Amino acid sequence: MMTQYIEITENGLHLVVSIEDDLDVLLLHLGVKPFQLESVQEHQRKGFRLLEIQCSGEDRDEYHGRSHRASYPGLRMKYKTHQDYRNGLGRKIEITLIDHMTQLVAISHMQFYNEISLIRSWTVLENQGDKELNVEYVSSFTLTGLAKEGQMDRDEKIECWIPHNGWQSELQWRKYTLPELGLSHVTDRSSKRISCSNTGSWSASEHIPMGYLENKEEKTNYFWQIEHNGSWHWEIIDQYDHLSILISGPTEHDNHWMKTLHPNEQFQSVPIAFGSSSGGFEKAIGQLTAYRRVIRRPNTDNRELKVIFNDYMNCLWGNPTTEKLIPLIDAAAEVGCEYFCIDCGWYSEGQWWDGVGEWLPSSVRFPEGIKFVLDYIRSKGMTPGLWLEIEVIGINSPKLKDTNDDWFFMRHGKLVKDRSRYHLDFRNDQVISHANEVIDRLVEEYGVGYIKMDYNINAGIGTEKNADSFGDGLLQHNRAYLRWLDEIFNKYPELVIENCSSGGMRIDYAMLSRHSIQSTSDQENYVKYAAIAASSPSALTPEQSAIWSYPLTEGDDEEVIFNMVNAMLLRVHQSGHLAELSANRKQLVKEALDYYKSMRHDIANGLPFWPLGLPTQQDPWISYGIHHEERHYLAVWRLENSNETQLIPLPVLAGKEVSVKCVYPQQNQPTWTWDQESGELTVGFSNPVTARLFEIIEKI
């Protein structure tokens, strides 16, 4: 047969799939610019694989090194059929391939989303043969030709942005040239790869599961996120003198995952989102923000953005009692908080870390019972909340008497321990019953409307129990936990469950498509928190990004203001000893929350921008904002070792007549000037460690 093409233009994206005369299927192009046939030479075409699949006992081809390219039976997969149709989300392409030797069938799914320039992609495998197949790798998405547009060499025009992550140091984006990452263009292919992997149940333990690639010559980009709450992998390699990206869930080589596919059995890979846009990083994040709002569970919380008070950070530090809580509850209500969450410690008399698991309230901490405190919260017009860590049981927990080894992760015949906790396996029906019982008690008996769901251990490579590999056991548990979450939200649709993993160690859109709110960090220093807060909308929608604001008892007015500005264009996660603040400093908290309530609708519908670029912990000035229609909100922070003035470019407003106001605080106003022609705001803060919030309104 003659070569056939599937050519699609949808939402500003151009997709070209080639069905070769030998029925090989190639993904020749996906991008914001139309495909140029001459950009791919004839001898390079076979490198433009639609997908890669590696099975045990099969060969490898090419200079693969540790990369997952040139796999078998992936290289033998041939076109069988395809579908092109529309559903409620947008256009959907499904391409079915088959390996005639093993009868392994693969369906590549690509879902477009109306008015958003990205696709969601995943692969479904089915063993239609009569022998078992051990799958070691399957791509959710591959694309070759990342640098094929333009005339410059890729060493000069391509930048790769990687979102580093760590406890109390979340969301540290850095951009690199390819040579800086060791992938210099010295041959048409090499064994080198640029790769990011996560192994374990903290999906963001070292990197956020996403990435960004920019072609500076063409002013175009690619961006992606992996939507999984466990192990994942992506890599950029060179082959046939082109750059390729391969994105997947767990793999055997990188994450200890292998799946035995029995005859007639199916396996679905981890879904990913991949897109392209013209412009820069902000345009890409704008597309991802729109997409994240579409795939997220519809919920009231992300429309209303109510203010949460939590008693932990720079406050009670996991040591709540009725006596300590009552004045905090009064103060939180006074400044306008709408949820009050009692954090860790409510279930134990003393040291509780290795004894958790029953989730029954301490009678010593709460002599009148915990319901007395929760009812008191409700009497003050706030919704009560409690902290949980449902996926673990402490090694000294009284709950262990009701369990057996089948409840827990196991490796090499031993229970998996991490930080004096055992990890529950949510594939176990008894574990599900236990978790349901806890949630039902909190909601129905105690009247809790908010749960801070923490997760402070990492399960490592997985579990051997009822699994083909450690990674297979982990993947099964990850998916079982998501199913359990879905059931809880179906039963209690108005219940707000915060996603927390020692702060931001599980920022991913498997979790955040369910949870309405995400703890971004355990960072205890409000000055260091500014960069984390300002970077957070790159990884999640602003209305899901919970930022601690914790005025210190020994601080001054500027410390309160800085704390509040950290959170005011995101989701306010209030803490601190409010009851011990001076009247003036407490009023600054209330002033911030009052203003927040007047504009939070714009946060829920706006898009983020960074006039000074994505911040780092080393920057002297930081600026982050939200655009919504004619309104532009701008937070500005001056840090240590900085000049007194800073020019902030706002090119989208160049030549426009606008009004500029410093809206928080109303007192202690800074100096600023606005250059209408250039669209530049110059601010002056007389002292370091100062923050202000501006509102800029276009005059229509």
Side-chain angles (χ1 to χ4, degrees):
M1 60 173 285
M2 298 289 291
T3 298
Q4 298 183 25
Y5 292 96
I6 303 171
E7 298 185 70
I8 292 171
T9 299
E10 196 75 15
N11 309 319
L13 284 180
H14 302 272
L15 181 143
V16 179
V17 175
S18 170
I19 305 169
E20 304 287 272
D21 54 7
D22 64 352
L23 297 183
D24 201 8
V25 181
L26 309 174
L27 177 54
L28 295 177
H29 182 71
L30 177 66
V32 72
K33 291 195 171 183
F35 178 52
Q36 302 295 324
L37 188 60
E38 63 273 15
S39 65
V40 181
Q41 299 177 30
E42 187 63 31
H43 74 279
Q44 298 172 325
R45 288 174 71 98
K46 61 182 179 180
F48 285 67
R49 312 302 308 168
L50 176 66
L51 53 82
E52 296 282 1
I53 305 168
Q54 184 69 47
C55 289
S56 301
E58 292 276 10
D59 202 359
R60 301 290 304 276
D61 199 7
E62 253 298 307
Y63 290 90
H64 50 80
R66 288 197 65 204
S67 82
H68 296 282
R69 69 176 171 210
S71 58
Y72 281 100
L75 287 173
R76 292 197 304 265
M77 303 297 290
K78 300 296 182 182
Y79 174 80
K80 186 176 181 182
T81 185
H82 79 275
Q83 296 184 66
D84 180 354
Y85 62 94
R86 291 190 179 274
N87 55 28
L89 299 171
R91 196 167 182 175
K92 176 82 183 295
I93 310 299
E94 299 174 9
I95 303 174
T96 303
L97 300 91
I98 185 168
D99 170 34
H100 294 290
M101 183 179 296
T102 62
Q103 296 301 305
L104 177 65
V105 170
I107 306 175
S108 179
H109 294 256
M110 289 180 279
Q111 174 72 61
F112 290 86
Y113 289 79
N114 294 327
E115 301 180 0
I116 306 174
S117 63
L118 58 70
I119 62 168
R120 180 186 255 179
S121 178
W122 66 94
T123 305
V124 175
L125 301 179
E126 182 176 352
N127 182 0
Q128 295 187 358
D130 56 6
K131 296 180 180 178
E132 293 180 353
L133 298 171
N134 293 332
V135 181
E136 299 177 0
Y137 178 83
V138 54
S139 62
S140 292
F141 181 76
T142 71
L143 181 65
T144 299
L146 300 176
K148 67 182 186 298
E149 283 79 35
Q151 302 302 312
M152 295 169 60
D153 188 83
R154 67 186 188 224
D155 284 0
E156 300 174 2
K157 68 185 178 185
I158 298 297
E159 283 185 342
C160 182
W161 297 33
I162 297 176
H164 300 276
N165 209 53
W167 183 63
Q168 295 202 25
S169 58
E170 289 85 352
L171 294 150
Q172 299 293 303
W173 284 88
R174 294 294 185 275
K175 59 183 175 182
Y176 309 89
T177 65
L178 299 181
E180 286 173 336
L181 292 169
L183 191 61
S184 297
H185 191 188
V186 295
T187 183
D188 63 347
R189 76 272 200 220
S190 73
S191 61
K192 173 64 181 175
R193 63 180 185 171
I194 299 168
S195 64
C196 276
S197 272
N198 176 76
T199 299
S201 52
W202 268 359
S203 58
S205 60
E206 294 183 283
H207 300 94
I208 302 292
M210 59 184 299
Y212 174 83
L213 199 74
E214 184 167 315
N215 185 326
K216 295 186 294 181
E217 178 187 4
E218 292 292 295
K219 295 182 173 55
T220 58
N221 57 57
Y222 292 110
F223 50 91
W224 59 94
Q225 70 177 23
I226 302 173
E227 297 165 6
H228 182 49
N229 54 327
S231 299
W232 52 264
H233 178 75
W234 66 257
E235 62 185 50
I236 294 173
I237 59 174
D238 53 359
Q239 59 175 339
Y240 296 96
D241 212 29
H242 280 286
L243 285 179
S244 301
I245 187 167
L246 290 77
I247 311 176
S248 70
T251 82
E252 180 170 67
H253 287 244
D254 302 285
N255 316 107
H256 303 266
W257 175 87
M258 183 279 296
K259 170 66 178 174
T260 298
L261 208 57
H262 300 279
N264 300 315
E265 187 177 6
Q266 286 191 346
F267 172 78
Q268 181 170 313
S269 74
V270 166
I272 70 100
F274 189 91
S276 178
S277 68
S278 295
F281 185 81
E282 286 178 8
K283 296 291 187 183
I285 296 303
Q287 294 298 307
L288 274 172
T289 301
Y291 166 75
R292 290 162 176 166
R293 287 169 173 160
V294 169
I295 66 169
R296 187 178 62 201
R297 175 183 63 90
N299 64 86
T300 304
D301 190 45
N302 289 145
R303 294 190 298 272
E304 296 184 347
L305 279 67
K306 290 186 176 180
V307 176
I308 306 108
F309 185 93
N310 181 294
D311 65 27
Y312 181 79
M313 186 64 73
N314 287 315
C315 192
L316 299 187
W317 290 120
N319 190 26
T321 66
T322 301
E323 183 180 10
K324 293 175 181 177
L325 284 167
I326 295 300
L328 269 178
I329 294 166
D330 291 341
E334 182 182 344
V335 298
C337 295
E338 295 157 299
Y339 290 104
F340 190 105
C341 183
I342 302 171
D343 208 279
C344 51
W346 59 270
Y347 34 77
S348 175
E349 279 72 51
Q351 292 298 318
W352 48 263
W353 184 265
D354 61 2
V356 297
E358 283 193 310
W359 309 116
L360 296 172
S362 163
S363 59
V364 174
R365 291 183 183 276
F366 309 104
E368 305 88 348
I370 197 168
K371 197 168 185 304
F372 170 82
V373 181
L374 298 174
D375 287 345
Y376 188 77
I377 292 169
R378 194 175 295 104
S379 74
K380 291 292 182 175
M382 296 181 291
T383 300
L386 288 174
W387 180 97
L388 277 183
E389 195 171 353
I390 199 68
E391 291 169 80
V392 304
I393 290 182
I395 60 173
N396 291 314
S397 173
K399 181 65 179 176
L400 289 174
K401 69 181 185 301
D402 302 324
T403 72
N404 56 58
D405 286 356
D406 289 342
W407 282 48
F408 302 104
F409 275 33
M410 297 193 75
R411 289 199 292 271
H412 310 298
K414 305 290 185 181
L415 294 179
V416 173
K417 287 183 193 177
D418 189 44
R419 301 191 68 206
S420 302
R421 276 95 173 274
Y422 298 122
H423 197 290
L424 289 168
D425 188 335
F426 270 64
R427 297 173 296 168
N428 183 298
D429 289 342
Q430 291 175 299
V431 169
I432 295 295
S433 295
H434 157 70
N436 286 342
E437 178 187 337
V438 172
I439 300 297
D440 290 347
R441 180 168 65 250
L442 265 61
V443 175
E444 297 179 12
E445 184 178 337
Y446 301 163
V448 163
Y450 187 101
I451 293 173
K452 176 179 177 179
M453 193 71 83
D454 211 342
Y455 183 66
N456 290 300
I457 74 169
N458 192 329
I461 60 178
T463 177
E464 65 195 13
K465 187 173 289 293
N466 301 319
D468 300 324
S469 61
F470 294 133
D472 176 47
L474 177 60
L475 177 60
Q476 289 186 48
H477 160 79
N478 295 145
R479 289 174 163 174
Y481 183 76
L482 293 176
R483 288 194 297 271
W484 174 76
L485 269 181
D486 291 339
E487 291 169 0
I488 293 300
F489 282 123
N490 284 337
K491 186 173 184 180
Y492 303 114
E494 296 306 309
L495 177 65
V496 177
I497 305 180
E498 172 193 336
N499 186 36
C500 181
S501 298
S502 290
M505 298 294 96
R506 198 154 60 170
I507 297 176
D508 66 72
Y509 264 86
M511 299 294 283
L512 287 169
S513 63
R514 277 90 175 171
H515 292 278
S516 62
I517 189 167
Q518 167 73 50
S519 174
T520 52
S521 186
D522 280 352
Q523 177 53 248
E524 301 167 24
N525 185 316
Y526 69 93
V527 179
K528 294 179 180 179
Y529 210 140
I532 298 170
S535 297
S536 64
S538 64
L540 64 162
T541 65
E543 64 271 20
Q544 290 179 282
S545 177
I547 305 297
W548 288 108
S549 172
Y550 35 67
L552 308 178
T553 53
E554 67 276 14
D556 58 13
D557 287 2
E558 289 297 341
E559 175 266 324
V560 175
I561 296 164
F562 197 108
N563 257 298
M564 300 308 297
V565 171
N566 281 351
M568 287 176 70
L569 294 185
L570 297 152
R571 193 69 188 274
V572 179
H573 214 173
Q574 192 67 50
S575 194
H577 282 286
L578 295 186
E580 299 179 17
L581 297 185
S582 66
N584 182 63
R585 296 178 73 229
K586 188 189 293 185
Q587 179 57 35
L588 283 170
V589 175
K590 186 177 188 306
E591 179 189 340
L593 297 183
D594 286 346
Y595 179 76
Y596 178 78
K597 292 175 183 178
S598 74
M599 50 74 68
R600 55 188 170 186
H601 174 268
D602 290 344
I603 297 173
N605 293 280
L607 295 178
F609 67 99
W610 296 269
L612 301 179
L614 278 174
T616 72
Q617 288 292 342
Q618 294 72 42
D619 287 343
W621 286 81
I622 293 172
S623 184
Y624 153 70
I626 287 281
H627 294 297
H628 181 57
E629 297 177 347
E630 76 283 359
R631 293 180 180 270
H632 310 267
Y633 304 92
L634 186 68
V636 182
W637 296 264
R638 181 189 171 191
L639 304 177
E640 299 281 4
N641 304 316
S642 55
N643 296 324
E644 289 190 12
T645 61
Q646 175 66 42
L647 186 149
I648 300 175
L650 299 167
V652 70
L653 298 177
K656 296 182 179 180
E657 187 177 356
V658 302
S659 67
V660 181
K661 294 188 295 183
C662 177
V663 290
Y664 179 75
Q666 290 296 313
Q667 304 298 319
N668 302 319
Q669 291 272 303
T671 62
W672 75 87
T673 60
W674 171 252
D675 188 319
Q676 180 174 327
E677 183 178 354
S678 62
E680 292 174 337
L681 178 68
T682 301
V683 299
F685 295 172
S686 57
N687 296 308
V689 191
T690 301
R692 294 293 185 269
L693 184 66
F694 293 85
E695 180 183 274
I696 305 172
I697 303 176
E698 299 178 42
K699 295 183 178 179
I700 306 300

